[in-house]
Amino acid sequence: MSGVGAGRLIGVGTGPGDPELLTVKAVRALGEADVVAYFAKAGRSGNGRAVVEALLRPDLVELPLYYPVTTEIDKDDEAYKARITGFYDDSAEAVAAHLLLGRTVAVLSEGDPLFYGSYMHLHVRLSGRFQAEVIPGITAMSGCWSLAGLPLVQGDDVLSVLPGTMGEAELRRRLADTEAAVIMKVGRNLPKIRRALAAAGRLEGAVYVERGTMKNAAMIPLNEKPDDVAPYFSLVLVPGWKDRPCSNAIVEEAKA
Amino acid sequence: MSGVGAGRLIGVGTGPGDPELLTVKAVRALGEADVVAYFAKAGRSGNGRAVVEALLRPDLVELPLYYPVTTEIDKDDEAYKARITGFYDDSAEAVAAHLLLGRTVAVLSEGDPLFYGSYMHLHVRLSGRFQAEVIPGITAMSGCWSLAGLPLVQGDDVLSVLPGTMGEAELRRRLADTEAAVIMKVGRNLPKIRRALAAAGRLEGAVYVERGTMKNAAMIPLNEKPDDVAPYFSLVLVPGWKDRPCSNAIVEEAKA
């Protein structure tokens, strides 16, 4: 599969933010890598890099891949699509240049690489040409419900992972049609999410979590949150456990 | 919150099976624990214990918690419910006996503790009485899609996690109403799952994975699997990525 002298591509899940939530395999992969690549906003070094910073050897080559655009253009716009596709093409070639020299390239991916991660765009472009491996990471949502001590699903519960960007009626319909839900990409969608949860009869029990397992993490039952201020990467957790005798107590405790 | 001299309860996610997929935090917690508890079938020591076996110190106290019943009785049967509730009550008291002595008790949980894990039954019973912490783990589903190199969800995709135990019409309806899906508890439900996927137009692209990241893991596009033999803990992954140019190639490659 891989050519003579070709290197190794590794998608490394860096988890929700706490460096201790890296897997042992991820730590080893970073120790073996020649190059560490990561997606980031222009001028920044990215959350994934911050998580692994203490593990980066001085001789490691860093390859930042700066997004050309983020939220300035409508994502359904054709010009945006062309630009972002070209960016992923160029990024894949920048990584390939190292792989062709026989290097091991670790690509950092916040959370889990193949679960809403940008790494997948490199994987589909390069895994046919080079040896490629994906090291899973703890997802942000898992970091959040663990921090909250909130049992999310049990037994035969259905879990729906929903983007907070979807329309209100559609969000309400889906919330009424599932035992448990995780609502991602909250940010400025919070007022809409609140209304959809209330209409679906699911506001009670819903927990708002921001900055997952970062040092400044915060959580609160959503119906007690006094404002609608939320960073983009906050989550709302809707636990599925029907008879959850302690979940509110648990959340209160985690807040204390 | 915790009484004087009271111990510490830690739910430790042991991930999908590969010991290297433990988090650094889980490894540290096991090193600090006085007691390691785990749920298991009578006479067995459980998959979670097998994953961490190399990390267990000789002086560590082991507390196996043997399920009184597994699949012999219908899970909706009242006698079953009473028996399993009593079992979780008794298990919590067995763990509490160690916590009251000021010990740190690590409870192993395959995958992620609060994601379909039995640990949650101890957490809700004990976290109000003792200091309790949950260390998330890599879920089986994440281990599977990483092994398959299969991008599961991107952008605004909806992901539905569905038990293979649900009725065929309901399964078909939900598969037709989501971008991506993970079907759990496959086992003898495989023929039904296949029919529901075909009826929802989602059979193509679906990947069957068994034994996640165990040494004897196996995966195959579901429409190429020649038989309906499947262990209970196998999964079917239905990727949501609409234009996935390489997914079949990736699966073929992972098989090679």
Side-chain angles (χ1 to χ4, degrees):
Chain A
M1 167 178 56
S2 56
V4 174
R8 190 159 64 110
L9 173 68
I10 313 178
V12 178
T14 62
D18 178 347
E20 277 217 297
L21 291 180
L22 283 168
T23 64
V24 173
K25 193 168 187 173
V27 172
R28 183 169 60 82
L30 290 169
E32 293 171 1
D34 303 300
V35 179
V36 61
Y38 45 85
F39 290 99
K41 286 187 185 174
R44 303 224 188 152
S45 56
N47 292 327
R49 189 189 178 287
V51 171
V52 304
E53 181 146 32
L55 299 169
L56 301 180
R57 305 185 316 273
D59 64 313
L60 204 62
V61 175
E62 294 201 28
L63 177 62
L65 304 164
Y66 294 120
Y67 291 112
V69 280
T70 52
T71 55
E72 300 90 22
I73 308 179
D74 186 319
K75 68 180 169 43
D76 293 324
D77 182 279
E78 288 302 321
Y80 170 84
K81 285 185 188 172
R83 197 162 170 197
I84 199 81
T85 298
F87 166 65
Y88 287 131
D89 289 344
D90 294 346
S91 297
E93 289 317 307
V95 170
H98 289 281
L99 294 171
L100 286 167
L101 294 172
R103 293 174 180 158
T104 294
V105 181
V107 180
L108 306 180
S109 188
E110 292 168 53
D112 185 71
L114 301 180
F115 185 75
Y116 302 104
S118 292
Y119 165 75
M120 63 176 72
H121 298 284
L122 300 180
H123 192 87
V124 296
R125 285 168 173 79
L126 296 170
S127 64
R129 292 165 59 193
F130 300 96
Q131 188 184 340
E133 183 185 4
V134 179
I135 301 177
I138 304 289
T139 58
M141 63 184 192
S142 174
C144 287
W145 67 59
S146 299
L147 183 71
L150 192 70
L152 198 81
V153 274
Q154 71 162 347
D156 286 343
D157 283 348
V158 168
L159 168 65
S160 299
V161 181
L162 308 171
T165 48
M166 69 168 54
E168 183 171 340
E170 177 70 355
L171 188 57
R172 183 179 64 234
R173 179 183 75 81
R174 289 184 180 274
L175 287 168
D177 191 33
T178 190
E179 272 90 33
V182 175
I183 307 173
M184 324 252 287
K185 300 184 179 179
V186 171
R188 62 183 179 177
N189 299 300
L190 187 53
K192 175 183 70 184
I193 291 168
R194 231 190 250 270
R195 292 193 301 269
L197 280 163
R202 301 304 299 271
L203 185 56
E204 197 184 351
V207 177
Y208 167 84
V209 190
E210 65 185 45
R211 294 182 296 271
T213 58
M214 308 283 184
K215 282 206 177 65
N216 54 350
M219 76 191 77
I220 188 170
L222 182 56
N223 60 11
E224 294 176 18
K225 182 170 163 56
D227 58 54
D228 280 326
V229 180
Y232 188 68
F233 285 110
S234 47
L235 295 177
V236 172
L237 304 174
V238 185
W241 199 341
K242 284 164 210 74
D243 47 349
R244 33 182 194 280
C246 309
S247 65
N248 280 333
I250 291 165
V251 172
E252 289 304 316
E253 180 185 308
K255 282 162 60 188
Chain B
M1 167 178 56
S2 55
V4 174
R8 190 159 64 110
L9 174 67
I10 312 177
V12 178
T14 62
D18 178 346
E20 278 217 298
L21 292 180
L22 283 169
T23 64
V24 172
K25 193 168 188 175
V27 171
R28 182 169 61 83
L30 290 169
E32 292 171 2
D34 303 300
V35 179
V36 61
Y38 45 86
F39 290 99
K41 286 187 186 176
R44 304 223 188 153
S45 56
N47 292 328
R49 189 190 178 286
V51 171
V52 304
E53 182 146 32
L55 299 169
L56 302 180
R57 304 185 317 273
D59 63 315
L60 203 62
V61 174
E62 294 201 27
L63 176 62
L65 304 164
Y66 294 120
Y67 291 112
V69 280
T70 50
T71 55
E72 301 90 23
I73 308 180
D74 185 320
K75 68 179 170 44
D76 294 324
D77 182 278
E78 288 303 320
Y80 169 84
K81 285 185 188 172
R83 198 163 170 196
I84 199 82
T85 298
F87 165 66
Y88 288 130
D89 289 344
D90 294 347
S91 297
E93 288 317 308
V95 169
H98 289 282
L99 294 170
L100 286 167
L101 294 172
R103 293 174 179 158
T104 294
V105 181
V107 180
L108 306 179
S109 188
E110 293 169 53
D112 184 71
L114 300 181
F115 185 76
Y116 301 104
S118 292
Y119 165 75
M120 63 176 73
H121 298 285
L122 300 180
H123 191 87
V124 296
R125 285 168 173 79
L126 296 171
S127 63
R129 293 165 58 193
F130 301 96
Q131 189 184 340
E133 183 185 4
V134 179
I135 301 176
I138 305 288
T139 58
M141 63 184 192
S142 174
C144 286
W145 67 57
S146 300
L147 183 72
L150 193 71
L152 198 80
V153 274
Q154 72 162 347
D156 286 344
D157 283 348
V158 168
L159 168 65
S160 300
V161 181
L162 308 171
T165 47
M166 69 168 53
E168 184 171 339
E170 177 70 356
L171 188 56
R172 183 179 63 234
R173 179 183 77 80
R174 289 184 179 274
L175 287 168
D177 192 33
T178 190
E179 272 90 34
V182 174
I183 307 172
M184 322 253 286
K185 301 184 178 180
V186 171
R188 61 183 179 177
N189 300 301
L190 187 53
K192 175 183 70 185
I193 291 168
R194 231 190 251 270
R195 291 193 302 269
L197 280 163
R202 301 305 299 270
L203 185 56
E204 195 183 353
V207 177
Y208 168 85
V209 190
E210 65 185 44
R211 292 183 296 272
T213 57
M214 307 283 184
K215 283 208 174 65
N216 54 352
M219 77 191 73
I220 187 171
L222 182 56
N223 61 11
E224 294 176 19
K225 181 169 162 58
D227 58 56
D228 281 326
V229 180
Y232 188 69
F233 286 109
S234 47
L235 294 178
V236 172
L237 304 174
V238 185
W241 199 340
K242 282 163 212 73
D243 47 350
R244 34 182 193 279
C246 310
S247 66
N248 280 331
I250 292 164
V251 172
E252 290 304 317
E253 179 186 311
K255 283 162 61 186

